[in-house]
Amino acid sequence: MKKIVLIDGNALAHRVFHALPPLTTRKGQLVNAIYGFFSVFLKVVKELKPDYIVAVFDLPSPTFRDIEYKDYKAKRPKAPKEIYEQISKIKEILKVFPVSIYEKEGFEADDVIGTIVERVNSLVNKKSKEKIKSIIVTGDLDTLQLVNENTEVYTLKKGVTQSIIYNKETIRERYGLLPEQIVDFKALKGDQSDNIPGVPGIGEKTAIDLLRRFNSLENIYKNVDKIENQKLRAKLLEYKEQAFFSQYLATIRKDVPIEFDLKKCRFDFYNKEKIKEIFENLEFYTLIKRLP
């Protein structure tokens, strides 16, 4: 099975920025996010040996979630401008490799990733019936809902050196749920990082118990009369509209209008000397040794 790696650019850059000390060059340029990003990038290339690579980034313009829910991500601290300055440099270097970059106004990077994964999953070689495995490289777990038999999530476990791959089995081990239940899990308990409200009073354990028993948010409400705990039943009924709106906010879109060409994402050649020159200017000498 061939592999495509989809890099969640902003999520990975934010994760490594906070995981590493403020590394600077002799000229005083802050480069910790750039260094961390390409340290993970080279690790992924070596470990996964992808046939295709794409990088997906968020744009500063509002998304449909921001427009429809003004408090979306409202409690999230504003990221320091130093991250965004480094993200610009990350994009420049990715283009030199070359790695195709996708982004779309009105949508988050996760929506673009979801759309690409959906399209890749539908691509089947007519002769061999060979499918392509999608591996999402990210700094958070928002994309776990996309996991299936052909899609995995590769994320950092500790620092920038330890990683973990989430598939259906590891998601079940961690949450006791199926990947397709993750959205409803967020719809019930909410998501503090994105300020998704959920149902007040329902925490992780109760949300998991409900989904194990009833399988989905829709089925919980179809069988709400079977819930013996009167206080819990009352909460669910009181916040029914909010629960389904939270489900809508948490759901990654798979229909973003983008032009995606798998052939243009092939990763089989790069200009090593050019990358070496860029890394030398940034004083990434340890990364130069790791170039494939």
Side-chain angles (χ1 to χ4, degrees):
M1 186 181 283
K2 290 185 177 179
K3 297 174 195 166
I4 179 170
V5 160
L6 303 100
I7 301 172
D8 186 352
N10 287 72
L12 184 58
H14 277 74
R15 179 67 180 266
V16 297
F17 178 87
H18 294 292
L20 293 172
L23 308 172
T24 56
T25 64
R26 291 187 184 90
K27 295 178 181 177
Q29 181 184 1
L30 187 65
V31 293
N32 58 338
I34 306 169
Y35 176 86
F37 188 98
F38 285 100
S39 179
V40 174
F41 178 86
L42 293 175
K43 185 175 186 286
V44 164
V45 168
K46 183 181 179 181
E47 289 179 5
L48 304 180
K49 297 178 174 58
D51 302 279
Y52 310 92
I53 303 181
V54 300
V56 183
F57 287 88
D58 292 308
L59 290 171
S61 54
T63 69
F64 72 93
R65 293 182 184 86
D66 300 303
I67 294 166
E68 295 183 43
Y69 181 51
K70 62 181 178 61
D71 290 329
Y72 185 65
K73 295 187 178 181
K75 294 179 182 178
R76 185 178 290 189
K78 192 172 181 180
K81 62 179 176 61
E82 289 84 0
I83 292 182
Y84 296 105
E85 289 169 356
Q86 292 187 71
I87 286 175
S88 297
K89 188 66 179 176
I90 287 168
K91 287 182 180 180
E92 285 179 28
I93 300 170
L94 283 171
K95 288 174 182 175
V96 175
F97 258 102
V99 170
S100 296
I101 293 175
Y102 287 86
E103 46 200 4
K104 186 69 177 178
E105 276 198 18
F107 298 91
E108 293 181 52
D110 286 348
D111 299 310
V112 180
I113 289 170
T115 300
I116 294 174
V117 167
E118 183 76 2
R119 295 191 191 178
V120 168
N121 282 342
S122 67
L123 291 173
V124 179
N125 185 301
K126 291 181 180 178
K127 290 182 180 178
S128 66
K129 301 293 181 187
E130 182 187 43
K131 292 187 178 180
I132 301 168
K133 175 170 277 190
S134 299
I135 304 171
I136 301 162
V137 177
T138 181
D140 59 43
L141 300 178
D142 290 345
T143 52
L144 289 185
Q145 62 183 272
L146 299 175
V147 169
N148 57 35
E149 62 276 5
N150 292 320
T151 307
E152 297 176 344
V153 170
Y154 177 111
T155 190
L156 299 175
K157 194 174 181 181
K158 189 177 180 182
V160 296
T161 56
Q162 292 185 32
S163 57
I164 181 170
I165 290 180
Y166 282 97
N167 51 32
K168 293 176 82 169
E169 287 69 35
T170 45
I171 290 174
R172 191 183 290 113
E173 284 172 18
R174 175 162 180 172
Y175 296 99
L177 298 171
L178 298 170
E180 54 267 30
Q181 292 176 305
I182 296 293
V183 170
D184 291 350
F185 175 64
K186 286 188 176 187
L188 288 166
K189 83 170 189 69
D191 186 337
Q192 193 172 4
S193 66
D194 289 341
N195 203 33
I196 294 174
V199 177
I202 291 186
E204 186 168 316
K205 185 181 183 302
T206 305
I208 290 171
D209 289 344
L210 285 167
L211 288 168
R212 280 177 173 172
R213 183 178 174 187
F214 297 109
N215 193 48
S216 68
L217 187 68
E218 288 79 1
N219 212 35
I220 288 169
Y221 278 100
K222 282 180 184 176
N223 295 280
V224 73
D225 292 338
K226 295 179 182 177
I227 296 172
E228 296 82 8
N229 186 322
Q230 292 182 11
K231 190 176 178 182
L232 175 59
R233 187 168 68 240
K235 280 278 186 188
L236 285 164
L237 291 170
E238 182 182 354
Y239 291 98
K240 180 179 180 179
E241 189 177 336
Q242 186 165 292
F244 280 99
F245 184 59
S246 296
Q247 182 193 52
Y248 168 73
L249 290 173
T251 301
I252 290 174
R253 294 276 293 270
K254 298 176 183 178
D255 59 350
V256 178
I258 56 168
E259 291 183 14
F260 175 70
D261 186 346
L262 183 65
K263 291 176 184 175
K264 291 181 179 177
C265 304
R266 188 146 195 97
F267 187 75
D268 53 8
F269 172 81
Y270 76 104
N271 190 327
K272 186 173 181 178
E273 290 307 310
K274 190 73 184 280
I275 294 296
K276 187 179 174 183
E277 183 184 331
I278 292 169
F279 282 2
E280 280 175 349
N281 288 335
L282 293 168
E283 299 167 24
F284 294 169
Y285 302 114
T286 56
L287 294 190
I288 292 170
K289 295 174 185 176
R290 291 170 54 195
L291 285 172

